[in-house]
Amino acid sequence: MVENLSLICCNITSKPTNLFSRPLNEKILLVQVLVGIFLYVNSLMIFTFLKKEAFRTDTRYVLFAQTLFMDSFLMVLTDLAVIQSYYQYTIPCVPCVILCMVMIWLQFGTPVTLVAMCLERYVAICMPLRHANISSERTQLVGLVVIWWLSAVPPFLVLFLFLEWAPPSVLSSSMICEVELLLPKKWQANSRSVVATLYFLWMSAVIVITYFRIVKVAKKAASGNSKSTTKGRKTVILHAVQLLLCLIQFCCPFVETAILRIDLKLFVNVRYFNFISFILAPRCLSPLIYGLRDEKFVLVLKYYAVFGLSKKPTVHSVKFERQ
């Protein structure tokens, strides 16, 4: 059935298409509005991060900036893919493979970075005396390299599986760019599912262990010093929710393929819901968790959001506490 589905899709892509031949509907317009708002907020936060040295030297906010960068880049590519799919516009196979690899890389990059952020909060709260040494500039660089390396495993697996199957004629053809078309055989889809499941179990274990360690410290903390510990515990919970939403998206293609065999209209509606709920929504939580919830970051953010018309924050007002 999967092979037949791939043949059907390839037949569709073989037809000539005209770009912008279909009028925009309300769903596509809503996606453009949401993506536009999302990119504006993220761009403003990235600009705020780059303008203050206090942000750039703190591991917590370096990881935060990386999630903003990954999510923004992913949103641009995903939005282009949505528009391309809506207009049934075909592109050559090789650029499609590269585009899919980059999107998968970024999709895994966000949850892996979330795990790193939870570990950073664990070190800050449970090992405060060692936090400064562990969160050095060298450690930050090594951590970022490890995050990108771990995130690269799934897309290169997809590339290997595709090259293992694809005949030369496919590489020279054009298609409507979707990851599912690169993995038409059942064993290929199952291999990707196994990798996603392993990542899910590993990330979930880190989140759960981190949370309970912080809770344990919170119970031992004196009432006067428990504020930062409580805030760290809530942050880990929000990370867990965000991570869950990010990882659900890896199951969406299998659900969508099953629905496509039943009803095409239902498939379109489900795919649209999945995009809004599991692509856009989790990435809107990052600014909420590490941007708008942080008083010092919001203070600087407000200054740049109104183009410097408010009172400029002082150096002391943006000096971070170890929360």
Side-chain angles (χ1 to χ4, degrees):
M1 179 63 73
V2 177
E3 288 81 356
N4 294 336
L5 175 62
S6 178
L7 291 174
I8 293 173
C9 293
C10 291
N11 289 335
I12 293 176
T13 59
S14 64
K15 298 179 181 179
T17 56
N18 295 322
L19 188 59
F20 305 136
S21 58
R22 298 175 61 188
L24 286 174
N25 60 21
E26 63 278 2
K27 292 182 178 180
I28 295 296
L29 287 174
L30 177 60
V31 169
Q32 302 313 305
V33 171
L34 293 178
V35 171
I37 295 174
F38 173 86
L39 291 177
Y40 170 75
V41 174
N42 273 21
S43 300
L44 185 59
M45 289 192 169
I46 292 174
F47 179 79
T48 302
F49 167 81
L50 295 175
K51 292 295 290 184
K52 290 296 179 180
E53 184 179 359
F55 298 138
R56 301 194 303 270
T57 56
D58 192 294
T59 303
R60 176 186 181 189
Y61 292 93
V62 170
L63 294 173
F64 169 53
Q66 174 158 290
T67 61
L68 293 176
F69 169 78
M70 286 182 168
D71 292 346
S72 300
F73 194 20
L74 178 62
M75 280 299 97
V76 172
L77 296 180
T78 306
D79 191 38
L80 291 176
V82 168
I83 294 175
Q84 177 255 170
S85 178
Y86 177 75
Y87 284 108
Q88 299 286 289
Y89 185 67
T90 61
I91 63 175
C93 180
V94 174
C96 174
V97 172
I98 297 175
L99 177 62
C100 290
M101 284 190 63
V102 173
M103 288 194 294
I104 295 172
W105 200 338
L106 295 172
Q107 283 178 348
F108 276 88
T110 294
V112 173
T113 306
L114 289 175
V115 172
M117 294 170 80
C118 290
L119 291 175
E120 190 277 334
R121 287 295 84 202
Y122 165 75
V123 172
I125 293 172
C126 300
M127 295 183 288
L129 299 180
R130 299 178 56 189
H131 184 257
N133 294 330
I134 295 177
S135 299
S136 63
E137 292 185 6
R138 181 178 180 278
T139 306
Q140 290 178 13
L141 180 60
V142 172
L144 294 178
V145 171
V146 171
I147 289 172
W148 283 98
W149 180 81
L150 289 174
S151 306
V153 174
F156 278 98
L157 174 65
V158 170
L159 176 63
F160 172 78
L161 295 174
F162 172 72
L163 295 178
E164 181 72 15
W165 159 82
S169 59
V170 174
L171 295 176
S172 60
S173 64
S174 296
M175 61 177 65
I176 297 174
C177 192
E178 295 183 5
V179 178
E180 289 72 26
L181 298 183
L182 304 181
L183 304 175
K185 296 183 180 297
K186 187 175 182 179
W187 68 270
Q188 294 173 318
N190 290 339
S191 299
R192 187 179 67 160
S193 178
V194 169
V195 172
T197 302
L198 292 176
Y199 269 69
F200 173 80
L201 294 176
W202 164 66
M203 294 175 187
S204 300
V206 173
I207 292 287
V208 171
I209 293 173
T210 301
Y211 173 76
F212 282 106
R213 291 290 180 87
I214 293 177
V215 169
K216 185 177 180 180
V217 171
K219 292 181 179 179
K220 295 181 179 179
S223 58
N225 299 323
S226 61
K227 181 179 179 180
S228 62
T229 305
T230 302
K231 187 173 183 178
R233 183 178 59 186
K234 291 180 179 179
T235 299
V236 172
I237 294 176
L238 288 173
H239 278 326
V241 175
Q242 186 182 14
L243 181 63
L244 179 61
L245 291 175
C246 286
L247 294 177
I248 287 176
Q249 67 180 298
F250 300 133
C251 304
C252 292
F254 306 103
V255 176
E256 293 167 0
T257 301
I259 294 177
L260 180 59
R261 300 169 184 167
I262 302 173
D263 185 85
L264 179 60
K265 185 176 181 180
L266 179 61
F267 163 78
V268 173
N269 292 332
V270 169
R271 176 165 252 190
Y272 178 78
F273 172 81
N274 289 341
F275 177 75
I276 298 295
S277 302
F278 306 122
I279 299 294
L280 284 180
R283 285 155 181 84
C284 290
L285 288 177
S286 288
L288 174 64
I289 294 174
Y290 266 87
L292 302 181
R293 291 181 68 244
D294 188 278
E295 296 178 0
K296 300 182 187 301
F297 192 88
V298 168
L299 186 64
V300 182
L301 182 65
K302 287 181 178 179
Y303 173 77
Y304 291 114
V306 297
F307 307 102
L309 297 179
S310 63
K311 183 179 179 181
K312 187 174 183 178
T314 62
V315 176
H316 298 287
S317 64
V318 295
K319 184 178 179 181
F320 289 124
E321 301 174 357
R322 296 296 181 188
Q323 297 177 346

